[in-house]
Amino acid sequence: MPVKAWAAAGVCLALLGGFAAWFLVGRETAPTCNGLAEDTRVQKSVGHSVHPGMSCAALGEAIVKATAGSQPGHHTQEQAQAMKDVVFALGWVQSQKIELDPALRVPLATALADYAPDVHEMLAGLDSTYVTKAGRDTPPWEAGGTHHLSVPANAFRKTLRAVAEDPQAYALLRMAETRTAAEQLAAVPADATGSELSLPPTKNARALGILDGIADAAISQDAQEPRKWHAAVFDRLITEQADQAEPAGRLTATWLQDLKNTPEQQRAERLRAQGLDMARTWTQTRTMDEPTRQDLLTKVENSARNAHQEVKH
């Protein structure tokens, strides 16, 4: 073999060897549990049980325990700070996609679902308070008898996308948003007009549309995987129950029943129409002339579509 050929072969082998070494070292040194157990803020806020080398399942349990309130949806400043620190540690990275350890997905969804009103506002991104208080060093704030948290939209969406790869985790988040959306609609005064009437259903549609886009980004584009993922999501959703003694519960129950009655092959499409479907059911319970109703539903449909497209890529 000519000298130049030998030299070229040597360079190739050296490059291959270097790449192999980098690959192996990279695999060995990649922090487990996405580095959460090594993060000093997470260690401080989640608790002393968090330490390097712990299992991701144990870390997930610690996160749920540290962030959950004594009553569902009611949190101390320390609990909300722990939730904020975890989301920041995961989402405040340069890469646009987080490869989240599978053992953390359902625990994180469980923890986030307990902060459903905050998740709703961060998904919609329309409340100025949540925008101005999203900084890492801005602590949770108290309002309505509990503490609230916010993180930047990009970090939040990346975290949700990583969590949503598990269909059970996504179903938990979707159901929490469904109940919150129903509560938002039920709270609209009977005599509301203008933005007081239109903002809740359009904000709901935007939050649900963002979740639709996150789902599209989370699942594989292979024809079989989305079908399996959606089937698992629907299996979970259609077993949910809602207390129909209250207006919000009736709205939730109606939507769940409609989803259950939809043929399996059409349920993914029905899920994407959730914001519009819930708004339509809601308008039927209110005194509203037909032009106002149709104008409102058009706004809701556009809100959902635009939000979906915003994160679909």
Side-chain angles (χ1 to χ4, degrees):
M1 182 180 291
V3 173
K4 288 185 177 180
W6 277 110
V11 170
C12 290
L13 287 172
L15 288 172
L16 286 171
F19 175 77
W22 171 85
F23 182 74
L24 290 172
V25 171
R27 285 173 64 93
E28 290 172 0
T29 58
T32 59
C33 310
N34 297 85
L36 288 178
E38 288 82 13
D39 188 282
T40 53
R41 286 183 182 245
V42 172
Q43 290 174 348
K44 181 180 178 181
S45 60
V46 174
H48 298 300
S49 62
V50 176
H51 58 83
M54 71 188 303
S55 73
C56 297
L59 177 59
E61 291 178 7
I63 290 170
V64 172
K65 183 178 179 180
T67 58
S70 57
Q71 300 177 40
H74 288 75
H75 306 102
T76 64
Q77 184 171 7
E78 292 75 18
Q79 290 161 348
Q81 185 66 57
M83 190 77 262
K84 178 165 183 163
D85 287 341
V86 168
V87 176
F88 245 107
L90 284 173
W92 202 246
V93 292
Q94 289 187 340
S95 60
Q96 284 303 109
K97 184 179 180 182
I98 305 168
E99 298 293 345
L100 184 61
D101 189 285
L104 290 172
R105 291 171 185 154
V106 170
L108 281 172
T110 301
L112 284 166
D114 200 42
Y115 291 80
D118 296 329
V119 171
H120 174 74
E121 295 298 346
M122 287 188 283
L123 283 170
L126 300 178
D127 189 315
S128 61
T129 301
Y130 282 82
V131 176
T132 58
K133 294 184 179 293
R136 183 158 201 175
D137 295 322
T138 304
W141 68 99
E142 188 174 9
T146 187
H147 282 82
H148 302 272
L149 68 101
S150 181
V151 298
N154 190 42
F156 185 63
R157 292 178 185 179
K158 281 191 288 185
T159 300
L160 289 194
R161 173 178 170 171
V163 168
E165 290 187 31
D166 186 311
Q168 300 300 322
Y170 182 82
L172 277 169
L173 294 172
R174 189 82 189 202
M175 197 61 221
E177 176 56 32
T178 297
R179 296 185 193 279
T180 302
E183 290 166 0
Q184 295 294 313
L185 294 176
V188 177
D191 59 351
T193 59
S195 62
E196 189 180 20
L197 176 69
S198 64
L199 183 58
T202 53
K203 182 186 275 190
N204 286 348
R206 176 168 170 75
L208 290 164
I210 295 291
L211 280 180
D212 289 333
I214 285 171
D216 287 351
I219 56 181
S220 167
Q221 296 306 304
D222 175 68
Q224 288 299 115
E225 286 305 310
R227 190 176 297 117
K228 288 166 56 179
W229 185 92
H230 276 109
V233 169
F234 299 140
D235 285 348
R236 174 62 185 264
L237 289 178
I238 62 178
T239 62
E240 291 284 344
Q241 302 292 323
D243 180 6
Q244 298 189 49
E246 299 293 334
R250 289 193 290 275
L251 278 169
T252 300
T254 298
W255 181 75
L256 288 171
Q257 190 61 49
D258 287 345
L259 183 67
K260 188 173 183 178
N261 293 341
T262 301
E264 287 186 27
Q265 63 272 23
Q266 297 173 20
R267 282 178 179 166
E269 183 178 350
R270 173 51 61 88
L271 191 67
R272 285 190 290 271
Q274 182 179 0
L276 180 61
D277 285 348
M278 292 185 72
R280 184 181 289 114
T281 300
W282 171 69
T283 61
Q284 291 169 356
T285 67
R286 301 177 65 87
T287 302
M288 192 182 300
D289 61 72
E290 194 57 25
T292 300
R293 188 192 320 277
Q294 290 306 319
D295 179 62
L296 177 59
L297 293 178
T298 297
K299 289 178 181 177
V300 168
E301 188 172 20
N302 289 338
S303 179
R305 184 190 308 109
N306 293 338
H308 187 190
Q309 292 297 326
E310 188 178 310
V311 293
K312 191 175 180 180
H313 60 83

